[in-house]
């Protein structure tokens, strides 16, 4: 009898150990499911091996993770569509008066009978819009952004003889990175329209593009009249119509890359203005 009792106790302990290991293993699987959800991994699906309470709980966790994944993907898709629509709207609003001014200049030259100048201006204008429109694409290579801007500066040189000197300093490697289009032109237009001094000295505008750690930096610096402090504050807050192009570019950058990127303005009266644009390195 004592032997049978001992055997029963041993069997009971073995059975208890097996059951404990079985439930411990299933609890580990359930805990792994919960950990995956906490880590925002909703694609993990545990294998269901039973239909008891723990099996049903694990199956429910699988369904919950799947539904969370679908909901997040749908929300992300809608946010991307919203940002794309907003970005398209901002791009469509870029400087229509630049076109009007150029067409006005063409008209004046045509009346004077200067067909050669008209032909050169029209060529620069068509190349500017051919590259900037870019078949509706949001992103272009930085070398294409430079090409757009040089067509613009060539037009300004023709409109305002000897009033501007444009200097370029571009790191060769960054030319093949991508950027959202028309980052530079609004700032150069702002310098052309507002930075010129009253004396006969030409306005120097320096454009530098270089890589700094994981960012691409665009700098546009002039030696013009500078911006008054109250006007600068108004531009930076987006309230000034004068600085509309500046706030437009800043908004497009933040929509495309995030709030840690954008435009900074540094200006001192009678010394000049420096614009710093920062975007992430995009080698795609």
């Amino acid at each position: 009898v004592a032997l049978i009792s001992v055997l029963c106790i041993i069997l009971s302990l073995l059975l208890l150990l097996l059951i404990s290991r079985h439930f411990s293993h299933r609890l580990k699987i359930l805990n792994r499911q919960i950990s995956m959800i906490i880590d925002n991994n909703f694609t993990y699906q545990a294998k269901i091996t039973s239909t008891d309470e723990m099996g049903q709980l694990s199956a429910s966790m699988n369904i919950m993770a799947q539904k969370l994944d679908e909901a997040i993907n749908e929300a992300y898709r809608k946010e991307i569509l919203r940002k794309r629509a907003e970005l398209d709207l901002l791009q469509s609003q870029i400087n229509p008066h630049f076109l009007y001014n150029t067409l006005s200049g063409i008209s004046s030259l045509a009346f004077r009978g200067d067909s050669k100048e008209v032909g050169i201006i029209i060529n620069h204008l068509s190349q500017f819009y051919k590259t900037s429109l870019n078949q509706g694409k949001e992103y272009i290579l930085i070398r294409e952004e430079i090409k757009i801007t040089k067509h613009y500066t060539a037009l300004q040189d023709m409109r305002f003889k000897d009033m501007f000197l444009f200097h370029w300093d571009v790191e060769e490697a960054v030319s093949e990175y991508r950027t959202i289009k028309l980052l530079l032109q609004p700032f150069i237009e702002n310098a052309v329209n507002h930075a010129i001094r009253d004396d006969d000295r030409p306005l120097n505008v320096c454009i530098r593009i270089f890589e700094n750690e994981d960012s691409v930096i665009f700098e546009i610096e002039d030696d013009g009249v500078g911006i008054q402090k109250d006007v600068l504050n108004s531009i930076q807050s987006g309230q000034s119509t004068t600085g509309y192009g500046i706030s437009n570019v800043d908004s497009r950058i933040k929509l495309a890359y995030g709030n840690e990127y954008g435009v900074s303005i540094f200006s001192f009266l009678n010394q000049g203005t420096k614009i710093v644009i920062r975007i992430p390195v995009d080698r795609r």
Side-chain angles (χ1 to χ4, degrees):
V1 175
L3 182 60
I4 293 172
S5 297
V6 170
L7 288 173
C8 286
I9 291 171
I10 292 172
L11 287 172
S12 297
L13 289 172
L14 287 172
L15 185 60
L16 185 62
L17 181 62
L18 289 172
I19 293 171
S20 175
R21 284 188 175 181
H22 174 69
F23 278 102
S24 176
H25 175 68
R26 295 178 67 186
L27 283 170
K28 283 181 180 179
I29 292 173
L30 190 60
N31 186 58
R32 179 173 172 76
Q33 281 182 279
I34 294 169
S35 297
M36 289 292 187
I37 292 172
I38 290 171
D39 291 338
N40 297 322
N41 183 349
F42 305 114
T43 58
Y44 175 77
Q45 295 283 294
K47 186 177 180 181
I48 309 302
T49 57
S50 67
T51 57
D52 60 9
E53 287 82 357
M54 286 193 68
Q56 291 174 16
L57 180 58
S58 190
S60 297
M61 295 287 287
N62 281 345
I63 294 169
M64 182 181 73
Q66 183 179 353
K67 289 189 178 297
L68 281 170
D69 188 47
E70 291 170 357
I72 288 170
N73 283 333
E74 179 64 15
Y76 180 73
R77 187 182 67 82
K78 288 181 178 178
E79 179 66 11
I80 289 295
L81 290 174
R82 184 192 67 77
K83 284 190 173 184
R84 185 167 294 169
E86 194 170 342
L87 188 59
D88 289 343
L89 177 62
L90 286 167
Q91 286 181 341
S92 70
Q93 295 170 345
I94 294 172
N95 289 329
H97 63 273
F98 156 62
L99 176 60
Y100 305 151
N101 290 340
T102 306
L103 291 175
S104 177
I106 291 172
S107 176
S108 298
L109 289 170
F111 276 118
R112 294 206 306 263
D114 196 339
S115 58
K116 183 179 179 181
E117 288 273 296
V118 168
I120 295 172
I121 287 180
I122 289 175
N123 179 62
H124 281 305
L125 185 63
S126 65
Q127 291 300 317
F128 175 88
Y129 278 103
K130 178 182 177 182
T131 310
S132 63
L133 291 173
N134 193 33
Q135 299 177 335
K137 295 177 182 176
E138 299 169 12
Y139 298 88
I140 60 175
L141 296 177
I142 288 177
R143 61 178 164 81
E144 294 172 329
E145 175 69 12
I146 294 169
K147 186 189 297 184
I148 292 171
T149 310
K150 286 186 174 180
H151 283 301
Y152 175 80
T153 56
L155 286 168
Q156 302 315 307
D157 282 333
M158 295 185 72
R159 286 184 62 205
F160 308 102
K161 301 289 186 183
D162 302 321
M163 288 181 65
F164 303 101
L165 295 173
F166 297 100
H167 311 275
W168 289 85
D169 181 9
V170 180
E171 283 186 3
E172 186 176 350
V174 303
S175 297
E176 299 306 313
Y177 297 164
R178 292 201 320 162
T179 176
I180 57 171
K181 60 190 176 185
L182 291 174
L183 288 191
L184 293 171
Q185 184 270 335
F187 298 101
I188 293 176
E189 181 175 9
N190 204 57
V192 167
N193 290 338
H194 304 290
I196 197 73
R197 294 177 179 272
D198 292 333
D199 55 33
D200 294 330
R201 287 184 298 164
L203 179 74
N204 288 283
V205 182
C206 300
I207 304 106
R208 294 179 286 271
I209 310 174
F210 56 93
E211 184 175 350
N212 182 19
E213 296 180 348
D214 293 328
S215 298
V216 176
I217 308 298
F218 300 76
E219 291 182 352
I220 306 99
E221 187 171 8
D222 66 66
D223 59 355
V225 296
I227 306 172
Q228 292 183 354
K229 190 172 182 179
D230 58 336
V231 176
L232 181 58
N233 291 337
S234 181
I235 290 172
Q236 290 175 324
S237 64
Q239 297 174 352
S240 171
T241 54
T242 300
Y244 171 75
I246 296 173
S247 59
N248 181 293
V249 172
D250 189 55
S251 296
R252 289 193 293 122
I253 290 172
K254 285 177 167 53
L255 277 170
Y257 303 116
N259 290 331
E260 63 270 36
Y261 301 100
V263 178
S264 301
I265 310 171
F266 309 92
S267 187
F268 300 93
L269 282 178
N270 300 315
Q271 296 182 40
T273 300
K274 182 177 181 180
I275 305 292
V276 179
I277 305 168
R278 193 169 74 91
I279 66 170
V281 168
D282 185 351
R283 297 183 177 90
R284 288 175 292 171

